[in-house]
Amino acid sequence: MVSKTDPKTPGRAASRRNFLKTGLLGGAAVAASAGMARAQGGDPLITEIQDWNRYLGDGVDAAPYGAPSEFEAQVVRRNVPWLTADPVSSINFTPLHELDGIITPNGLCFERHHGGVAIINPTEHRLMINGLVDTPLVFTMEDLKRFPRENRVYFLECAANTGMEWKGAQLNGCQFTHGMVHCVVYTGVPLRYLLEEAGVKTAGKWLLAEGADAAAMSRSIPMEKALDDCLVAFKMNGEALRPEQGYPLRLCVPGWEGNMWVKWLRRLEVGDQPWAQREETSKYTDLLADGKARRHTFVMDVKSVITSPSPQAPVTHGKGPLVISGIAWSGSGTIKRVDVTIDGGRNWHEARIDGPSLPKALHRFYLDINWDGSEMLLQSRAIDDQGLVQPTKNELRAARGGNSIYHNNGIQTWHVNTDGVVENVEVS
Amino acid sequence: KSTGAFGLGRVATPDEVTAWDIDIRPDGAGLPVGSGTVTQGEVIFSESCAACHGDFGEGAGRWPVLAGGQDSLLKDRPVKTIGSYWPYLSTVYDYVRRAMPFGDARSLSDDDVYALTAYVLYLNDIVVDEEFELSNENFASIRLPNEANFIADDRLSEPHYAKGLEPCMSDCKPGPVKITARAQVLDVTPEGEGDENS
């Protein structure tokens, strides 16, 4: 069987070549090639019989667990090696610029580990509840799967998402500036069922969640939140958690910073005050301009970003209809509105939110425009159901300075030039 | 069996709780009985820690700096260390025992961790006597310099989150918007398909 397609140069590379050609020669090149096709009797992709139309494809036994098309090989997580000392306590990024809708495919959900990916046989996993409880308990995974379950769609955003951009435009692509976020449907047991099973004593006001990995990651969580909407999850998007997402068990802390979503969850301790663990003192505290530092900054603020066009997703088709696509989210609830500007914030247009609008989940928005080929400064501005408006980066800096590291939800600007090339910029 | 509504799970034994419940609180709750001196800590640090953190906690390569940086929190590039930033000594003991050395966690004895904690205090000039011995008895009396500088989350008091704010929709800026910073000037984005710098 002969293939006419070269697997080494799939989709993106091809579109980049087209883009460069279009960029060099402009719309005239497109018109000319279309004209040539007509002169020769039509597009050979139509007038000539293609291999996939003649030869048989793979049988149903070829891929017991399917993978994306080879032409989507560019849709992968990426890391930025210089960000961290080594790749084991590090971060990678969801390819937001290639995705649509609100659900992140499991294999593309960004990863953040502090001691690498723990590999745990679920039959050997245990969850302990101890501390200020009537009865300290141990659960097996089999036990946990006998509790009533809930399915919920939530975003999980790293507190450090967009953190490299506090001092200015640094990384060129929304995968890198905003890709420490993913959104899946979690299946799990409400945390309150487990706590009720152990019996929380009246003095129990805080919960320590701890992982089974080599970092034994641990965070203090107010009991009010633990009893509200937290889940102990074992499935994401219908299948078991991926190892890098905490298989076999993780905590979901909806709307709150990703660090608290303890993976490989092995222990929950009830106490009467927070524990001041490393991840809530040295890390995940937000230094302000006056030398003070905020702690317990749990909620992820109202935020949005345009995912296309963006530096990794340039405009390759020239003037005319253009879909501006993006995501918006808030740790406080649903997104009520997203505004988009194409002139750097002078004038705004209400975008169209399409798809489910669920609390503490990603929302997808679109603004369909007719691009006249002139330069654009694209921004999006989200407003949540609490009335909170996404601030500009300059407003955030005025309030906090440039060294907070975490919780940068400032408005992102993309500069689109006349060739359709897009760059991460900041504007006056 | 539990006494809860579902009767699922079983009672955790005291040995099991002891094995996993190793967290320490700022008030010293959870500390094991034991002790270690600065001098003992220096030996352990040289063998097990200095390759990444430097002989004096100054950090090798991009590995974390453990000492120094006092009075740097107001600077353009703050150096946030145990001495300059961390609020509580309990976190040092807890974290070292829980997660260090990186790649060989839980390999230190309780006394080793006391000695290392004492040595880190010495590196940060919080104790100056090389014979200083840290133990579960005197632990809670040690305070770190930056403890008072942590405040509650008051983000919602920032002006841009003021109640009832109606954002401007048209003619919001007087003239054409200017570009003030560009990512391509830095050119630090990893190369790959779709990266305009590749």
Side-chain angles (χ1 to χ4, degrees), chain A residues 145-180:
Chain A
K145 289 180 176 178
R146 295 172 67 190
F147 283 93
R149 296 173 201 173
E150 287 183 358
N151 293 288
R152 295 287 184 275
V153 177
Y154 292 125
F155 76 80
L156 188 174
E157 184 185 16
C158 179
N161 199 21
T162 322
M164 298 83 72
E165 305 290 307
W166 264 110
K167 293 198 173 177
Q170 184 160 231
L171 289 164
N172 211 29
C174 70
Q175 177 168 21
F176 302 109
T177 58
H178 290 76
M180 296 186 207

Side-chain angles (χ1 to χ4, degrees), chain B residues 55-137:
Chain B
D55 287 335
F56 305 100
E58 76 277 17
R62 288 190 54 84
W63 296 103
V65 181
L66 304 182
Q70 277 85 348
D71 303 318
S72 74
L73 298 185
L74 296 172
K75 293 188 176 159
D76 187 45
R77 296 196 176 277
V79 180
K80 290 152 67 181
T81 71
I82 291 163
S84 71
Y85 190 68
W86 290 35
Y88 305 114
L89 190 63
S90 59
T91 314
V92 180
Y93 192 100
D94 176 284
Y95 183 68
V96 171
R97 185 166 66 155
R98 163 188 307 277
M100 288 290 127
F102 193 60
D104 194 18
R106 304 299 305 275
S107 60
L108 298 164
S109 73
D110 292 345
D111 286 344
D112 287 346
V113 180
Y114 277 111
L116 281 171
T117 306
Y119 184 61
V120 168
L121 287 172
Y122 180 79
L123 289 178
N124 278 289
D125 301 322
I126 294 164
V127 301
V128 293
D129 178 6
E130 290 180 29
E131 297 310 310
F132 173 77
E133 183 181 73
L134 184 67
S135 72
N136 56 299
E137 299 285 335

Side-chain angles (χ1 to χ4, degrees), chain A residues 406-421:
Chain A
Y406 307 105
H407 295 288
N408 184 350
N409 65 320
I411 288 174
Q412 174 67 47
T413 309
W414 304 129
H415 174 247
V416 183
N417 77 10
T418 53
D419 292 330
V421 173

Side-chain angles (χ1 to χ4, degrees), chain A residues 25-58:
Chain A
L25 303 173
V30 177
S33 63
M36 275 156 55
R38 270 197 299 277
Q40 291 161 8
D43 183 348
L45 286 167
I46 298 168
T47 58
E48 294 174 13
I49 295 167
Q50 303 298 309
D51 285 353
W52 55 86
N53 188 214
R54 180 176 305 247
Y55 304 113
L56 300 176
D58 284 340

Side-chain angles (χ1 to χ4, degrees), chain B:
Chain B
K1 288 284 176 183
S2 90
T3 54
F6 299 96
L8 292 168
R10 64 163 176 82
V11 176
T13 72
D15 283 353
E16 289 172 337
V17 173
T18 302
W20 275 7
D21 182 356
I22 59 165
D23 52 70
I24 317 294
R25 286 198 323 203
D27 61 3
L31 279 170
V33 173
S35 64
T37 67
V38 171
T39 310
Q40 290 165 340
E42 181 177 14
V43 175
I44 302 165
F45 193 89
S46 299
E47 289 172 358
S48 302
C49 316
C52 294
H53 294 296
D55 287 335
F56 305 100
E58 76 277 17
R62 288 190 54 84
W63 296 103
V65 181
L66 304 182
Q70 277 85 348
D71 303 318
S72 74
L73 298 185
L74 296 172
K75 293 188 176 159
D76 187 45
R77 296 196 176 277
V79 180
K80 290 152 67 181
T81 71
I82 291 163
S84 71
Y85 190 68
W86 290 35
Y88 305 114
L89 190 63
S90 59
T91 314
V92 180
Y93 192 100
D94 176 284
Y95 183 68
V96 171
R97 185 166 66 155
R98 163 188 307 277
M100 288 290 127
F102 193 60
D104 194 18
R106 304 299 305 275
S107 60
L108 298 164
S109 73
D110 292 345
D111 286 344
D112 287 346
V113 180
Y114 277 111
L116 281 171
T117 306
Y119 184 61
V120 168
L121 287 172
Y122 180 79
L123 289 178
N124 278 289
D125 301 322
I126 294 164
V127 301
V128 293
D129 178 6
E130 290 180 29
E131 297 310 310
F132 173 77
E133 183 181 73
L134 184 67
S135 72
N136 56 299
E137 299 285 335
N138 66 359
F139 194 97
S141 69
I142 310 275
R143 308 301 280 267
L144 298 186
N146 200 45
E147 178 181 336
N149 288 321
F150 287 82
I151 60 170
D153 180 4
D154 58 352
R155 275 176 289 174
L156 290 181
S157 69
E158 293 173 348
H160 45 262
Y161 287 141
K163 285 271 177 214
L165 207 64
E166 257 310 308
C168 176
M169 291 300 285
S170 54
D171 298 324
C172 302
K173 295 180 180 180
V177 177
K178 289 193 185 71
I179 293 176
T180 56
R182 298 182 55 192
Q184 285 193 346
V185 173
L186 282 172
D187 195 17
V188 291
T189 310
E191 298 196 353
E193 287 294 342
D195 171 14
E196 292 306 315
N197 296 322
S198 61

